[in-house]
């Protein structure tokens, strides 16, 4: 596997990053799945090789391995369909997305479709956090915009039924 694969230790860190101890098993599964999807997108490694490599990484034992399997293998198996969902919502060609943004959008679209036990706002927030932790400076803003559009398409009733977030109060 590539030494360029992003890891929490090498990823851009922000002031709002969660401490490792605060992360849920599913959050960890998403992080490991993103690392695996990155290996797939950049190196075209086989899913089974990525899976084997990832399970040997430090901290994997704290991840939800079932959710990891669903995300990694599901996203790779449904890559063409996920790209077809994402592409109409982009303001640039798919090839111009960073592999991190691309992978995060795959994870979000996959979870919207297949992980109905996860509320849409949780999927959205987790994807934004992945983009903040592993992506470029403003990648999370782009992911947020695309994910909102996907949520409205893939989970319209759930989105319509949820209250709008409270407006922020202006700073004094």
């Amino acid at each position: 596997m590539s030494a360029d694969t992003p890891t929490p230790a090498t990823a851009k860190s922000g002031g709002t990053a969660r401490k490792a101890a605060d992360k849920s098993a599913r959050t960890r599964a998403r992080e490991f799945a993103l690392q695996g999807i990155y290996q797939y997108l950049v190196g075209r490694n086989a899913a089974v090789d990525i899976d084997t490599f990832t399970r040997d990484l430090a901290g994997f034992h704290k991840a939800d391995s079932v959710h990891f399997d669903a995300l990694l293998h599901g996203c790779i198996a449904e890559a063409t369909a996920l790209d077809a969902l994402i592409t109409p919502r982009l303001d640039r060609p798919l090839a111009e997305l960073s592999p991190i943004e691309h992978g995060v959008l795959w994870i979000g679209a996959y979870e919207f479709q297949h992980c109905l036990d996860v509320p849409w706002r949780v999927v959205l927030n987790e994807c934004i956090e992945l983009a903040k932790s592993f992506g470029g400076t403003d990648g999370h803003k782009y992911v947020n915009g695309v994910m909102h559009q996907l949520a409205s398409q893939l989970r319209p009733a759930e989105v319509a039924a949820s209250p709008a977030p409270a407006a922020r109060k202006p700073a004094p």
Side-chain angles (χ1 to χ4, degrees):
M1 300 295 126
S2 170
D4 294 333
T5 302
T7 63
T10 61
K12 177 182 125 336
S13 60
T16 60
R18 291 186 259 184
K19 289 189 276 182
D22 294 342
K23 294 180 182 175
S24 73
R26 279 204 169 172
T27 294
R28 293 172 192 270
R30 288 180 188 95
E31 290 176 348
F32 284 111
L34 179 60
Q35 291 174 58
I37 290 167
Y38 180 92
Q39 292 174 15
Y40 176 78
L41 289 168
V42 173
R44 290 295 176 201
N45 301 76
V48 67
D49 294 337
I50 294 167
D51 190 310
T52 302
F53 174 81
T54 304
R55 288 177 187 280
D56 287 337
L57 293 174
F60 185 84
H61 68 284
K62 295 179 182 177
D64 179 338
S65 61
V66 173
H67 199 61
F68 166 79
D69 285 338
L71 294 177
L72 177 69
H73 296 285
C75 287
I76 291 172
E78 297 184 17
T80 303
L82 294 172
D83 282 344
L85 275 171
I86 294 165
T87 300
R89 286 149 190 82
L90 303 178
D91 64 353
R92 58 188 132 173
L94 187 65
E96 291 182 14
L97 285 181
S98 79
I100 295 297
E101 290 170 348
H102 196 170
V104 169
L105 292 173
W106 273 7
I107 288 171
Y110 184 88
E111 282 197 277
F112 280 153
Q113 290 184 301
H114 300 286
C115 303
L116 301 179
D117 61 316
V118 182
W120 79 272
R121 285 197 189 273
V122 172
V123 173
L124 176 70
N125 187 56
E126 289 287 328
C127 289
I128 291 168
E129 291 302 319
L130 282 171
K132 282 181 180 178
S133 295
F134 294 92
T137 303
D138 288 328
H140 68 283
K141 295 175 184 177
Y142 190 76
V143 165
N144 182 21
V146 175
M147 290 298 297
H148 265 286
Q149 294 176 53
L150 286 171
S152 296
Q153 178 194 354
L154 299 172
R155 299 224 190 145
E158 190 179 350
V159 171
S162 75
R168 292 184 182 173
K169 293 181 182 178

